[in-house]
Amino acid sequence: MKIIIYIYLFIFILLINSANALNYEQEFQVINKETNIDIIINFDGKQDFNFYLDLPRDVNEINVFLDNKENNFEVIKSEFGNIVNIRGNAKEIKINYNSKSYIEHTSKNYFTAEINSLINAELKIKVILPEG
């Protein structure tokens, strides 16, 4: 019995696809009261992936490019927020969407939700704020 469990565990470990990216960048550009979000993920080679991206409630549309080819993914709305399930096979993923609620501005300060890496990689973040 133990041997069968170990065999299943070994097969399970072999089937797990750990998506490790070489480069993972997020750019947030605040223009007036809206934020344009760009996410770029580069892999070493073609990679299978399947992950969920949490989106602010006001996001209705998302642009996803897999190796520079646009793919349509549906934004799933719920009472807890919006998500999109991004899956496929590519060397590069580009994601773009706009939100009025992603970065909040009060007085001289800007705030955002916690930013987590979608994939096991070093995350580079760039924030472009309006002048002044």
Side-chain angles (χ1 to χ4, degrees), residues 31-82:
I31 302 170
N32 294 323
K33 295 185 178 191
E34 189 164 283
T35 305
N36 179 287
I37 297 96
D38 288 314
I39 300 171
I40 299 174
I41 303 169
N42 287 301
F43 299 104
D44 188 24
K46 283 237 180 215
Q47 178 79 42
D48 289 321
F49 48 84
N50 185 1
F51 59 87
Y52 287 90
L53 175 62
D54 291 320
L55 300 169
R57 291 182 194 265
D58 66 336
V59 174
N60 295 313
E61 238 178 79
I62 183 168
N63 300 313
V64 180
F65 296 87
L66 305 179
D67 291 334
N68 292 319
K69 182 180 176 190
E70 187 167 13
N71 287 256
N72 294 320
F73 293 99
E74 180 184 354
V75 175
I76 304 164
K77 296 178 179 276
S78 77
E79 63 183 279
F80 304 109
N82 297 343

Side-chain angles (χ1 to χ4, degrees), residues 3-4 9 11 19 38 110 118 130:
I3 294 173
I4 294 172
L9 183 60
I11 292 170
D38 288 314
Y110 288 87
L118 297 171

